[in-house]
Amino acid sequence: MYPKSLNELIECFRYLPGVGERTAERFALKVADMNEEDVTRFAKSLVYLKEHLHHCSVCGNLTDDDICEICADTGRDHSQILVVESSRDVNAMEKTREFFGVYHVLNGLISSSKGVMPEDLDLELLLKQAKDAKEIILATSTTIDGETTAMYLGRLLKETYPNLLITRIAHGLPSGGLLDYADEMTLSHALSDRREMR
Amino acid sequence: MYPKSLNELIECFRYLPGVGERTAERFALKVADMNEEDVTRFAKSLVYLKEHLHHCSVCGNLTDDDICEICADTGRDHSQILVVESSRDVNAMEKTREFFGVYHVLNGLISSSKGVMPEDLDLELLLKQAKDAKEIILATSTTIDGETTAMYLGRLLKETYPNLLITRIAHGLPSGGLLDYADEMTLSHALSDRREMR
């Protein structure tokens, strides 16, 4: 019932995650209300992103350059590699300002439910990056797929580089977490990974 | 911390209603994953919309043409005009397939809280369209601004065209509405607008 121009844009917005028909409608009508300059900028930034953004040839992180900013930073510890699922995780971790090593971005997780097998991930890139590393911190999510991936990668890395230190991020109660609200899995990990107070 | 191309697109997505930083981030990363064809289509549809979409010169509805599809439809009853706030409302009403008149889209509501005065709406267009009408159905929302606008328009239309029938959509309990969940305003309207059962 909407004009063609509006329907076409609504359809495009529906490609975005979590955007249903009504939200896409609201977005498109908002664009109709925006000034021409902002809409042009929006359109250009879509094209610009597609032309420039790709994966870092060292670590798999998203970057506009050949090598991402973090890999290019000589001030960081390149012998400590934190392995994550996506660039969003890199961003989240960087916000803590507590990690000074480098990353490896898998751009996916091994997942039996989604049919993603180990060979679907570019693990050669990880092995190449891990070659001169001292520690690999497996920091995939504590979901089933995250745990599966961490377990698989742990074994693969150990087999390839027997002297490499391989660690897994802690799994326990989140900050501000109430004990009686936590699920059993979280509690059982929080208990088994308890540490001595000094 | 993201590359420039990604940050720029994230900022653009933040213009959309209800989109915060994390959602904009998810959207931009989704675009990074989309194939080039889809992204190009997205960008083009933004530009196309801005170039083609505007308000119908008769009723104010959004259209790609000079006159919207509904106004151009000679099969509809042009003497019955349903007045709504926006093109979204036209779309919602059309989905009922129960209205065969035409619309007038105000593209706004009189609002003291938002500082929108009657002269900010193109009421000349409404008066022009209402000239040969038999009935005007005021179908703005049953919010404070919607009621204010309906009241103002009702008076304006009555003064201008004393013989015109001016009606207001019913205000009562929604379908499937539980009496004890309804607010006082709704209940009081549902009571005062009660009708005889036949």
Side-chain angles (χ1 to χ4, degrees), chain A residues 133-134 157-158 160-166:
Chain A
K134 291 202 185 92
L157 286 161
K158 204 77 209 166
T160 319
Y161 307 116
N163 297 321
L164 192 60
L165 172 65
I166 296 161

Side-chain angles (χ1 to χ4, degrees), chain A residues 19-86:
Chain A
V19 175
E21 202 183 319
R22 288 180 74 91
T23 306
E25 217 177 283
R26 277 206 303 149
F27 286 176
L29 286 169
K30 170 71 188 187
V31 171
D33 263 351
M34 277 163 58
N35 65 47
E36 202 170 325
E37 201 182 321
D38 286 341
V39 177
T40 309
R41 182 182 158 205
F42 196 167
K44 277 192 183 156
S45 70
L46 283 164
V47 174
Y48 183 89
L49 176 135
K50 210 61 212 173
E51 277 170 357
H52 292 80
L53 198 69
H54 55 263
H55 297 296
C56 169
S57 60
V58 174
C59 76
N61 192 9
L62 287 172
T63 177
D64 290 340
D65 307 304
D66 176 41
I67 291 175
C68 79
E69 244 178 80
I70 294 169
C71 285
D73 187 345
T74 52
R76 300 186 71 126
D77 181 0
H78 290 251
S79 72
Q80 193 181 41
I81 303 172
L82 192 127
V83 179
V84 292
E85 178 186 353
S86 75

